[in-house]
Amino acid sequence: MGQLSIPLQTPLLDAIQDPADLRILSDDDLVELAGELRSETLSIVSETGGHLGSSLGVIELTVALHAVFDTPHDKLIWDVGHQCYPHKVLTGRRDAMRRLRKKDGPSGFTRRAESEHDPFGAAHSSTSISAGLGFAVARELGADVGDVICVIGDGALSAGMAFEAINNAGALGHRLFVILNDNAMSISPPTGALSAHLGHLATPARAGTGEAAPSGVTSLFEQMGFSYHGPVDGHDLKGLLDTLRRLKSDTTGPVLLHALTRKGAGYVHAEKAEDKFHGVSPFDIATGAQAKSSSAKPSFTKVFAHALIAEAEKDTRIVGITAAMAAGTGIDLFARCFPDRAFDVGIAEQHAVTFAAGLAASGLRPFCAIYSTFLQRAYDQIVHDVALQKLPVRFAIDRAGLVGADGPTHAGTFDIGYLANLPGFTVMAASDEAELVHMVATAAAHDAGPIAFRYPRGEGSGASLPARGKILPIGRGRVVETGSTVALLSFGTRLDQCLSARQALASRGISVTVADARFAKPLDTALIEELVSRHRLLITIEEGATGGFGALVLHHLAGRGMLDGRCGVRTMTLPDSFMAHASPEDMYRMASLNAEHIERLVIGALDLGDRAHASPLPFPGSEGPVSDARGIAAE
């Protein structure tokens, strides 16, 4: 498997409007087409950014599958879907791909609403075999479904859900094709016993000896009821075509084809740096240099990592855990300093949480760093294994709020609600990177039960970082700016938008208090009651779904009888819908969570209209600036 050529012209690809067009080409033409498809995929992602390495690794496999099987009647299901760009090019979306992951452009993952060639939507790992088995069983019960082909990577195969599906499929015995796309790489380097098993199976093939597998080795898949074939060279298109045609002709039950591929295949810069070219920003094809932000502001992820390292330097009980996202969560930086105290458990969020619970029960102080959207996959473990037992697992929740190009499958929308409703849980949100440092310190010192802190993707605001984090009083917010008419109570990084809105409203003669809640649970009830009692209007703002922080505030006020005409109360949350991918700026504008929307809501709620510029509003019973309920001056 040497370096693959990348043609500059694409005459064969130019004639492809539908996968059916591949089936009239000769095998030699299909080989040429694969080269053109690699060139087109590279060109597209160099402009748009996105998942490059995984897509380049399945070029030959994509061509072979569409050439052999009768898609879309035959159902081709891509696990996760970050390798689906070549598939989209071949299924009528080539021109649209120049707007990949941009507003109103194609998703970076498979999406049912986008094309009949995407029979099952994806973006989270390890779902393909379960979904594929559903299609296969539906076919046996009379549904108009042809063959079912599931393409799953070696990293995705490490998740328990994939094994649950293999176990079920092997027992049912229905005809089902599983293609194991084994590139010995997930987003982060592979870990675990399964990876070692696959490596053992693949060793002769990767070494070029020509053997199918080490003598005497029986694959795990055969033991679970699958017919195992391979390993085969995933970049030998003619070989793939021969193998797939034979399997299509001969297969009666579940079959697994083990294909060895290279992430980034055919593009030297991607092959040399598989992890860096998994997901890329726009880049120069000749040099591989990716476009970089000129900002010197650190990312929230990096701030978390360095804060965790600082805490771990003084506390040997601190350990870091992630689920196949070491680089994405910053645990890779922690691992460089504390290799024996960092654990990447693979794509296994459920295991990660219960593993952390066991560590906590043993007296250690585990930090479980998982994206908000992926933590959803372990909710039962959070409830049953952590919260119910009051175990002090620390959850570092990255990618909170809207995430831009990855869209609704990766948005951190629901964690406030699904964690804050659990007894004994402490839930925090950092308003800036300095607050994040304090929350890491707070979590490290918190042994009374589970605690979580959330923070967004991307760079911070440029806040000055403290030399060391301070331990925050649990359940205590802070007043940032004082006013007398309207109170804006922010939970998370919309705080800067609240401050911008305050300035705009001041020009209208409206005096505004801005407070940072810091905690959704336990609520700072004294601060909330103080804000309600001293203002005409209270607005809560959060980067989360309905049923989160604002709902908790309303519930408290209703229980205290403080919604009975004393003060207007409004909540600002993300919409009750799944928001399509766009830039983060566009998404927050569409979500109506920016300063202009706060200002508009204030004006409407106070029913000011054109009178807003007339004069400062009187506030009955209020004299002077507001402080919080404990007399703490604004920070």
Side-chain angles (χ1 to χ4, degrees):
M1 295 189 292
Q3 185 68 20
L4 301 170
S5 62
I6 302 178
L8 298 179
Q9 303 300 318
T10 58
L12 288 170
L13 184 59
D14 294 344
I16 302 298
Q17 302 299 318
D18 183 88
D21 296 330
L22 276 68
R23 297 166 202 144
I24 62 175
L25 298 178
S26 68
D27 287 4
D28 286 338
D29 283 343
L30 289 172
V31 171
E32 294 296 322
L33 175 67
E36 295 179 12
L37 181 58
R38 176 167 280 107
S39 175
E40 181 71 1
T41 302
L42 187 59
S43 174
I44 288 168
V45 184
S46 73
E47 295 179 9
T48 65
H51 294 101
L52 179 64
S54 48
S55 289
L56 292 179
V58 296
I59 295 290
E60 289 77 17
L61 191 57
T62 304
V63 171
L65 289 170
H66 278 300
V68 171
F69 290 95
D70 183 23
T71 56
H73 183 248
D74 291 342
K75 306 303 179 187
L76 177 55
I77 302 173
W78 298 93
D79 204 281
V80 184
H82 58 211
Q83 74 284 65
C84 71
Y85 300 177
H87 159 80
K88 292 197 175 192
V89 171
L90 294 178
T91 54
R93 289 169 274 184
R94 182 184 181 185
D95 291 341
M97 291 293 282
R98 299 290 168 173
R99 289 200 54 77
L100 176 69
R101 292 160 40 95
K102 292 180 169 55
K103 187 175 184 293
D104 300 325
S107 168
F109 306 98
T110 54
R111 185 169 177 262
R112 280 173 52 83
E114 195 174 293
S115 171
E116 65 177 342
H117 291 279
D118 294 357
F120 200 78
H124 289 193
S125 167
S126 316
T127 64
S128 61
I129 305 177
S130 296
L133 183 58
F135 278 102
V137 169
R139 179 191 63 220
E140 300 302 314
L141 296 175
D144 185 19
V145 173
D147 275 321
V148 182
I149 310 98
C150 311
V151 184
I152 185 169
D154 55 300
L157 196 67
S158 69
M161 185 176 178
F163 281 95
E164 293 169 20
I166 288 172
N167 178 60
N168 192 195
L172 291 176
H174 297 313
R175 176 177 164 110
L176 174 70
F177 297 89
V178 174
I179 314 297
L180 172 55
N181 172 34
D182 182 1
N183 57 28
M185 183 76 182
S186 181
I187 296 174
S188 295
T191 61
L194 176 64
S195 176
H197 177 62
L198 295 180
H200 193 39
L201 292 174
T203 296
R206 290 197 186 276
T209 65
E211 293 183 47
S215 176
V217 173
T218 300
S219 80
L220 170 67
F221 311 106
E222 291 171 304
Q223 298 297 313
M224 297 184 75
F226 274 67
S227 173
Y228 173 83
H229 297 267
V232 298
D233 183 348
H235 300 295
D236 175 7
L237 181 51
K238 288 187 177 181
L240 283 174
L241 290 166
D242 289 344
T243 299
L244 289 171
R245 287 166 180 154
R246 175 174 52 81
L247 292 177
K248 182 180 180 182
S249 174
D250 298 344
T251 293
T252 57
V255 60
L256 185 138
L257 175 62
H258 187 176
L260 304 182
T261 61
R262 304 194 308 278
K263 203 167 185 178
Y267 181 52
V268 62
H269 301 294
E271 291 199 48
K272 288 182 177 178
E274 294 172 318
D275 54 346
K276 292 181 180 178
F277 277 85
H278 170 77
V280 297
S281 56
F283 63 95
D284 178 77
I285 294 176
T287 65
Q290 298 183 38
K292 295 183 178 179
S293 169
S294 59
S295 173
K297 301 172 185 175
S299 70
F300 277 93
T301 299
K302 186 167 288 187
V303 170
F304 158 70
H306 288 303
L308 184 62
I309 290 168
E311 294 299 323
E313 286 173 345
K314 60 184 180 182
D315 188 344
T316 60
R317 293 170 293 177
I318 289 176
V319 296
I321 302 156
T322 191
M325 296 298 293
T329 59
I331 292 297
D332 61 334
L333 301 179
F334 180 84
R336 293 175 195 172
C337 298
F338 307 103
D340 294 335
R341 291 156 62 185
F343 302 92
D344 183 346
V345 302
I347 303 177
E349 292 86 0
Q350 293 173 310
H351 164 62
V353 170
T354 304
F355 173 52
L359 290 166
S362 301
L364 297 184
R365 288 178 161 172
F367 278 75
C368 196
I370 299 178
Y371 292 5
S372 170
T373 185
F374 297 148
L375 191 60
Q376 296 163 184
R377 295 161 65 96
Y379 191 57
D380 181 64
Q381 288 68 33
I382 295 170
V383 176
H384 182 269
D385 299 336
V386 176
L388 187 65
Q389 302 187 87
K390 300 181 176 62
L391 290 171
V393 175
R394 288 89 174 157
F395 292 94
I397 304 177
D398 204 325
R399 269 58 167 184
L402 300 175
V403 295
D406 282 337
T409 58
H410 283 58
T413 306
F414 307 110
D415 59 90
I416 303 171
Y418 72 62
L419 293 179
N421 66 356
L422 298 177
F425 235 98
T426 297
V427 180
M428 303 180 286
S431 57
D432 59 31
E433 54 269 49
E435 282 288 296
L436 177 57
V437 174
H438 297 321
M439 289 180 180
V440 172
T442 302
H446 187 76
D447 289 321
I451 188 168
F453 51 96
R454 69 190 317 255
Y455 46 97
R457 178 181 188 172
E459 66 182 27
S461 62
S464 178
L465 296 177
R468 295 187 65 172
K470 66 180 181 182
I471 299 173
L472 302 175
I474 299 297
R476 297 275 288 272
R478 60 178 181 137
V479 174
V480 180
E481 296 287 351
T482 59
S484 58
T485 303
V486 176
L488 304 178
L489 179 58
S490 174
F491 183 65
T493 56
R494 290 292 96 185
L495 183 67
D496 64 337
Q497 295 297 313
C498 291
L499 293 170
S500 296
R502 180 180 190 268
Q503 290 183 332
L505 289 165
S507 68
R508 294 175 173 268
I510 301 172
S511 178
V512 177
T513 293
V514 176
D516 178 8
R518 280 178 168 159
F519 294 83
K521 187 168 189 179
L523 285 172
D524 190 339
T525 56
L527 174 59
I528 292 167
E529 292 177 16
E530 173 89 356
L531 296 176
V532 167
S533 67
R534 295 176 63 86
H535 296 81
R536 284 179 52 185
L537 175 67
L538 169 67
I539 298 177
T540 66
I541 302 100
E542 63 194 289
E543 297 155 319
T546 58
F549 173 68
L552 292 167
V553 172
L554 288 173
H555 180 79
H556 171 74
L557 292 175
R560 295 278 292 166
M562 298 186 74
L563 295 179
D564 304 338
R566 299 189 183 192
C567 173
V569 180
R570 301 289 188 274
T571 61
M572 298 183 73
T573 68
L574 294 177
D576 187 24
S577 62
F578 292 102
M579 296 186 64
H581 58 275
S583 69
E585 295 77 16
D586 280 342
M587 293 185 80
Y588 278 113
R589 177 180 54 79
M590 292 185 289
S592 298
L593 279 181
N594 289 339
E596 62 188 282
H597 306 110
I598 300 170
E599 180 184 5
R600 191 178 307 155
L601 180 57
V602 168
I603 298 303
L606 293 177
D607 193 24
L608 297 180
D610 293 336
R611 294 179 292 112
H613 290 284
S615 61
L617 291 165
F619 179 54
S622 176
E623 298 294 337
V626 67
S627 65
D628 72 19
R630 291 152 313 266
I632 299 175
E635 294 185 22

